[in-house]
Amino acid sequence: MIITDIVRRGESELYKVYIDDELIYLLQAEIIVKNKLKKGQEIDKQTFDEIFNQSQMLTCKNQAINYVAKCLKTQKQVELYLKQKGYSEFAIKNAVKTLIDYGYVNDKYFAECFVKSKQNAKGINYIKNALKQKGVKTEIINEVTKDFKSNNEELLNIAKKYLKNKTIDNSIRQKLCRHLFSKGFNFDEINKVVNIVLKDEYNDWN
C-alpha cells in the first residue's frame, strides 16, 4: 500500500488520504503529524488501520466536546448522538470517558439544573419522566427530586392562563385537570388548584 496523496479538506483539520489512488480516508492533522505520514510512503494495512482508529477516536472525542459545549447533555444523550454519527462503540466509550473525566458530562449536575429550570412550569411526574428518558439513573433522579415542591403560585397562574378566553361549561374541570396532569402535576395539587380557580364559577365544587 502506497500513500499517493494527502489533501486538506477545506479549512478543517481533516485531511483526505489517498491509498493506491483509490481508497480515501479522512484523518486528523494531529494523527498525520504524529505518525509522520507523507505522500509516497509505503505502509501496510494493519499499521494504517491502527492509525485510522486513532484518528476516529480523536474525531469522535472532538465532536463530543463540541456537542456538549452548546448545552448540558447526559451521558446517554452523548452516546446516542455519537452512535448516530456512525462512530464505533470503542471510540464512543473512549470519548464519553474523556468527557466524564474532565467534567464535561455529569448526570447529577445535569439533573439538578434540569429540576431548577422546570420547577416553576412542570410537576414532579413530568420532571422524573423527562430525566429518565434522557438516561439519568433512578437513584440520581430520586436524590435530586427528594425535596422537590411545586410552586403553588405558578401552578395557579398556569391554571388561570389555561382558562383565559375558555368557555366555562360542565366539561371545563375535566379539561383543566387533563391539562395540568400533562404537565406532570400530581392529583392532590391539581385538585386543590382546580377548586380554587373554579370556585367562583361553580359554588358547589369544593
Side-chain angles (χ1 to χ4, degrees):
M1 296 171 58
I2 303 294
I3 298 175
T4 49
D5 208 353
I6 300 176
V7 182
R8 187 175 184 179
R9 191 181 74 168
E11 298 298 318
S12 72
E13 291 300 312
L14 292 174
Y15 282 75
K16 299 177 182 179
V17 179
Y18 292 78
I19 303 294
D20 297 333
D21 291 321
E22 295 182 359
L23 299 178
I24 301 176
Y25 294 88
L26 286 177
L27 298 183
Q28 288 277 352
E30 178 181 333
I31 299 300
I32 291 175
V33 173
K34 178 182 176 181
N35 290 278
K36 300 178 181 180
L37 300 182
K38 59 184 178 180
K39 183 177 179 181
Q41 179 181 345
E42 186 174 355
I43 189 169
D44 62 85
K45 186 177 186 306
Q46 182 178 348
T47 300
F48 191 84
D49 286 345
E50 291 174 357
I51 294 172
F52 180 72
N53 288 335
Q54 291 176 25
S55 184
Q56 279 286 290
M57 285 191 291
L58 181 59
T59 303
C60 182
K61 182 179 68 175
N62 289 342
Q63 190 152 23
I65 291 173
N66 290 334
Y67 180 60
V68 300
K70 298 176 182 177
C71 63
L72 292 176
K73 301 292 182 183
T74 65
Q75 179 178 334
K76 181 181 178 180
Q77 287 177 311
V78 175
E79 290 172 346
L80 289 175
Y81 172 77
L82 296 176
K83 186 176 182 180
Q84 290 170 353
K85 293 296 181 180
Y87 291 107
S88 68
E89 184 177 343
F90 181 79
I92 292 173
K93 285 183 177 180
N94 180 73
V96 170
K97 183 180 184 304
T98 299
L99 294 182
I100 293 175
D101 289 345
Y102 283 91
Y104 292 125
V105 169
N106 184 320
D107 281 4
K108 183 179 179 182
Y109 180 68
F110 175 94
E112 291 172 340
C113 292
F114 186 84
V115 170
K116 289 179 181 178
S117 70
K118 300 296 182 182
Q119 62 185 357
N120 289 332
K122 301 293 184 181
I124 187 65
N125 296 326
Y126 172 92
I127 290 172
K128 284 187 173 183
N129 287 333
L131 287 173
K132 184 177 180 179
Q133 290 177 0
K134 294 177 186 298
V136 179
K137 294 180 179 178
T138 301
E139 53 265 34
I140 293 178
I141 295 174
N142 291 338
E143 183 177 353
V144 299
T145 60
K146 63 182 179 181
D147 297 321
F148 180 88
K149 291 183 180 179
S150 295
N151 187 319
N152 292 330
E153 184 177 346
E154 287 298 325
L155 176 54
L156 188 62
N157 289 335
I158 292 171
K160 289 179 178 178
K161 183 178 180 180
Y162 176 80
L163 291 176
K164 190 175 182 179
N165 299 324
K166 291 281 195 310
T167 300
I168 305 300
D169 55 23
N170 292 331
S171 66
I172 195 63
R173 181 184 178 93
Q174 185 177 10
K175 292 177 181 178
L176 177 56
C177 286
R178 284 201 301 265
H179 176 68
L180 297 178
F181 184 77
S182 71
K183 292 184 175 294
F185 296 102
N186 62 44
F187 176 79
D188 289 340
E189 293 171 330
I190 292 173
N191 192 51
K192 182 178 180 180
V193 75
V194 168
N195 284 338
I196 292 173
V197 295
L198 295 178
K199 183 177 180 181
D200 293 337
E201 301 294 336
Y202 296 95
N203 293 324
D204 59 332
W205 282 359
N206 295 304

